Amino acid sequence: MVAGTTAAFLGLAVALGGGLATPASAADPATLSGIILGVGANETQRIVTWYSSADTAQKVQLAPTATLANGEFPAGAATFDAIGGANIATSGGFNRHATLASLQEQTAYSYRVGAEGNWSPTYSFKTQDFEGDYDFLFYGDPQIGASGDVAKDQAGWQDTLDVSLAANPNAELLVSGGDQVETAGTESQWTAFLAPDKLRQYPWAATIGNHDVGSKAYEQHLYTPNTDRSAPLYANGQPTSNTSGGDYWYIYKDVLFIDLNSNSYRTASGGGGDEAHIAYVTDVINQHGAEAKWTVLVYHHAIYSPADHAKDSDNKVRRVDFPTAFSNLGVDVVLQGHDHSYSRSYEIKNGAKANPGEQPGAADVFPGPGGVIYVTGNSASGSKYYDITAPDNSGTSGAGNGADPLNPNSYWYNSVQNQEHVRTYVKVQVRSDKLVVENVRSGTCAAPNAAVERGAWCNNTPANQPVGSIVDSVTVHPYQGDGQAIQVNVPNAAPGEFGWTIDGYNGLVNLGTAEDHNGDYFAAAGHINPIVVSDNRRSLAPWSISASVSDFRDGDKTFSGAYLGWTPQVIEAGAGAQASGSVASGYDDHGQGLSVSRGLGWANQGHAKGTARLGADLDLKIPGSVEKGGYRATLTITALSS
Ligand SMILES: [Fe+2]
């Protein structure tokens, strides 16, 4: 057998007689609140934002959840320094945010914010495959406080998040339709909005609504990536005023999202108006459109919607300004809020219905070049609903609100309109060849449903539709240009090699404090960090993994590695792996324990290709004469293959 030897090290530690006390830290006075997980610039990032009562140096600590032991972060956990500033006077305190970067795919992470000695509770999120299909959820106007009862609004909001994520636990993004709160500067409403723990587990992609714009609180609470905070993108043209604004973009897997501050729509108010947004969207798509397969725009003020705001003069301005630009830029879908009712538009091209024959409620839509689908979300919280309004004689294109010739009760631009006074959310399935957009009920007429509890009507159509039932579903099949689009998905390469690695984060193998057995000996136990072995060679040649441990040391105190024994195991079978035999602690048999090289696992000539995970239970027994201390040793791992 030819020895291809590589080595790695596992640190082992054991404390004797409670010798390793955690040093006490000075108390940090900062109170941490309003923690929210936000979307990052792409799928490998997240942004965490929070409030602090004190202006101290803070950070986010992050580690794969698998490396936490008894809730404790490993010594080598990553940290990301936070930045931020003072809040406006009405908010009080300070804001902080940090960008978590270089995340790995398919990983469950734990994180907490603060500083040594003053950490927040630990929260968790997971990443998934960084390529391919995924689902995201879109939530219209939670607008906490709109019903007049913040607690009831919060209950409905909490329930929609719970229901939607119970049904879609692998959804990757929570996209906002704007109006997080009723009153921009009222922190108690922000506290209620931020209360659901789901907002610390799934990334929120914030959108600014007309109820969020009048204070800095929106920006203080919801830091966003790639944000242009220049004057034209603020309604009053004053980024330093006590208002919020700015446009931002991010790419999440195959979708380029561009999120606009639609509060700024006319230059007369001081900002750059719709022109500035179109310039921004044009720039972003020119620079980054080719990096994604889809382009989704998000902004608050629906230009095609079915209810109270459908005829607003400001929306008519946007309805003239935006659609041709969006068609020319190849936007696929636009997600909107503000009208607290659900609508899905026909295919709209250059501000008119593209295909006069498109039927109301069609289950499949095949937009041609320039075709855009506009979706408006209903209330996600139940705090407020707007009733559907009637078409008029103002025309059936452009700024007009005329009737659909195919469905005279509907506006000309809407394929589907719905208002039942029931909470809903929009689920979007991103697939390589289609987008599936569904409006899903997250409640019924029953509580929590604040607006209805406070006297509004409620009427399922048809009656008694349960939570999770579908209001509308449409599959959007994209225009692929004049040629034939061909896609192939390439998986991770399976190298024809033998290799091994320590699984996940190679944290300290901490055996804790050894137990005293009647003064005769101390005993401690634990597990090595598992070893992943993969062998895809054609030769099907044998392999083996072995290890030995150094002496345990604490300063000039020491005891022999021979006192460590183990019981190897195959945790996940593959690659023909078999576990090597147990080795007793030298305390038991006066042998050499793991102080000499011992097998962990092996495979015979002709074994199957594949991957195995090997582990071992550690058994340490040391004489009662060993002195108190915190001892460490190194386990050296060696692989042999021919
Ligand atoms: Fe609104």
Side-chain angles (χ1 to χ4, degrees):
M1 181 178 274
V2 179
T5 304
T6 50
F9 307 99
L10 288 173
L12 286 93
V14 61
L16 292 181
L20 280 186
T22 307
S25 303
D28 185 323
T31 301
L32 310 166
S33 60
I35 300 165
I36 181 167
L37 185 68
V39 72
N42 58 47
E43 64 280 350
T44 74
Q45 296 186 0
R46 302 286 187 272
I47 295 175
V48 182
T49 308
W50 67 96
Y51 271 13
S52 167
S53 64
D55 194 13
T56 56
Q58 294 173 23
K59 56 195 171 184
V60 178
Q61 194 175 39
L62 175 78
T65 300
T67 68
L68 270 66
N70 299 321
E72 291 296 316
F73 280 68
T79 58
F80 299 87
D81 288 336
I83 53 176
N87 288 335
I88 57 171
T90 51
S91 299
F94 303 85
N95 60 83
R96 292 288 183 272
H97 69 270
T99 300
L100 315 183
S102 302
L103 301 174
Q104 302 297 303
E105 58 184 357
Q106 306 279 17
T107 304
Y109 283 100
S110 291
Y111 70 99
R112 55 187 180 176
V113 311
E116 292 301 335
N118 188 37
W119 291 113
S120 71
T122 298
Y123 303 104
S124 59
F125 66 90
K126 66 182 178 186
T127 59
Q128 296 175 55
D129 199 316
F130 284 170
E131 298 289 338
D133 300 347
Y134 73 104
D135 299 346
F136 69 86
L137 307 179
F138 174 71
Y139 299 91
D141 305 58
Q143 207 169 321
I144 304 299
S147 76
D149 187 325
V150 168
K152 282 187 162 53
D153 296 352
Q154 178 184 331
W157 172 227
Q158 170 93 49
D159 192 61
T160 288
L161 286 173
D162 288 347
V163 160
S164 58
L165 289 163
N168 301 281
N170 291 320
E172 298 204 31
L173 285 178
L174 313 181
V175 178
S176 163
D179 280 356
Q180 274 81 189
V181 295
E182 166 76 6
T183 312
T186 299
E187 289 293 343
S188 56
Q189 295 177 1
W190 284 101
T191 300
F193 168 77
L194 293 164
D197 257 348
K198 292 287 187 291
L199 295 176
R200 284 166 283 285
Q201 297 164 11
Y202 293 84
W204 182 249
T207 300
I208 186 169
N210 55 304
H211 287 267
D212 305 311
V213 71
S215 167
K216 272 288 176 226
Y218 171 86
E219 291 181 13
Q220 292 168 179
H221 278 295
L222 303 168
Y223 196 83
T224 49
N226 299 325
T227 306
D228 183 341
R229 299 187 193 281
S230 59
L233 303 177
Y234 281 72
N236 62 6
Q238 296 173 46
T240 57
S241 65
N242 277 355
T243 67
S244 290
D247 292 358
Y248 75 100
W249 65 275
Y250 56 98
I251 294 177
Y252 199 92
K253 293 160 80 166
D254 286 336
V255 182
L256 169 60
F257 288 89
I258 308 176
D259 193 288
L260 307 180
N261 169 24
S262 56
N263 295 288
S264 173
Y265 76 100
R266 59 175 175 178
T267 52
S269 305
D274 288 339
E275 219 174 297
H277 296 306
I278 291 169
Y280 181 82
V281 173
T282 304
D283 271 3
V284 172
I285 291 179
N286 285 343
Q287 290 177 37
H288 301 286
E291 298 165 33
K293 294 189 176 72
W294 303 96
T295 302
V296 172
L297 298 192
V298 189
Y299 54 78
H300 181 64
H301 295 79
I303 63 174
Y304 301 113
S305 66
D308 205 55
H309 289 304
K311 298 178 191 177
D312 286 355
S313 57
D314 61 323
N315 286 329
K316 291 190 176 197
V317 172
R318 297 182 189 90
R319 198 186 303 154
V320 170
D321 290 347
F322 279 156
T324 300
F326 295 170
S327 288
N328 289 337
L329 289 164
V331 170
D332 294 294
V333 168
V334 178
L335 301 174
Q336 318 164 112
H338 193 50
D339 216 7
H340 301 227
S341 50
Y342 175 76
S343 65
R344 180 244 295 188
S345 78
Y346 289 119
E347 177 197 349
I348 302 290
K349 180 175 180 178
N350 300 339
K353 186 178 180 186
N355 170 13
E358 183 183 343
Q359 293 299 303
D364 290 87
V365 181
F366 299 83
V372 182
I373 306 299
Y374 294 77
V375 174
T376 310
N378 200 343
S379 170
S381 70
S383 68
K384 188 179 199 176
Y385 302 101
Y386 287 121
D387 294 344
I388 288 174
T389 51
D392 56 29
N393 296 318
S394 58
T396 54
S397 68
N401 285 95
D404 175 6
L406 301 178
N407 190 9
N409 292 326
S410 264
Y411 289 104
W412 65 266
Y413 37 75
N414 287 333
S415 171
V416 175
Q417 308 184 154
N418 180 268
Q419 180 56 282
E420 303 173 2
H421 289 190
V422 168
R423 290 179 281 118
T424 66
Y425 64 97
V426 174
K427 174 181 178 179
V428 180
Q429 300 172 56
V430 179
R431 301 294 179 264
S432 58
D433 58 344
K434 62 191 175 188
L435 292 173
V436 182
V437 178
E438 292 177 320
N439 191 42
V440 186
R441 294 178 184 87
S442 54
T444 64
C445 288
N449 196 349
V452 172
E453 292 177 70
R454 291 173 68 86
W457 60 269
C458 185
N459 184 21
N460 267 168
T461 316
N464 302 321
Q465 292 297 301
V467 169
S469 56
I470 306 288
V471 174
D472 177 37
S473 179
V474 60
T475 301
V476 181
H477 304 267
Y479 177 66
Q480 301 287 7
D482 294 331
Q484 294 191 25
I486 299 176
Q487 168 163 328
V488 60
N489 297 323
V490 179
N492 284 330
E497 292 182 347
F498 171 77
W500 66 276
T501 178
I502 296 168
D503 190 25
Y505 173 81
N506 185 25
L508 183 69
V509 175
N510 195 341
L511 305 182
T513 299
E515 267 183 44
D516 181 8
H517 286 252
N518 302 321
D520 295 337
Y521 66 94
F522 296 103
H527 318 278
I528 65 165
N529 296 322
I531 308 290
V532 173
V533 180
S534 64
D535 191 354
N536 293 298
R537 295 172 298 174
R538 292 176 186 207
S539 65
L540 309 178
W543 57 261
S544 68
I545 304 277
S546 55
S548 64
V549 73
S550 67
D551 287 346
F552 284 77
R553 290 191 180 282
D554 178 20
D556 55 2
K557 295 175 287 189
T558 183
F559 64 84
S560 170
Y563 292 123
L564 185 65
W566 75 1
T567 304
Q569 304 146 5
V570 176
I571 300 171
E572 275 174 37
Q578 305 192 48
S580 301
S582 293
V583 174
S585 163
Y587 182 85
D588 289 330
D589 67 356
H590 305 288
Q592 292 178 289
L594 288 177
S595 68
V596 298
S597 182
R598 304 288 196 177
L600 174 67
W602 54 281
N604 277 324
Q605 173 67 43
H607 65 78
K609 291 183 184 180
T611 299
R613 213 150 67 96
L614 303 173
D617 293 339
L618 296 171
D619 171 31
L620 180 66
K621 277 191 196 141
I622 46 187
S625 57
V626 171
E627 281 184 75
K628 171 180 170 177
Y631 292 81
R632 284 198 181 188
T634 300
L635 187 72
T636 302
I637 298 153
T638 305
L640 285 176
S641 63
S642 54

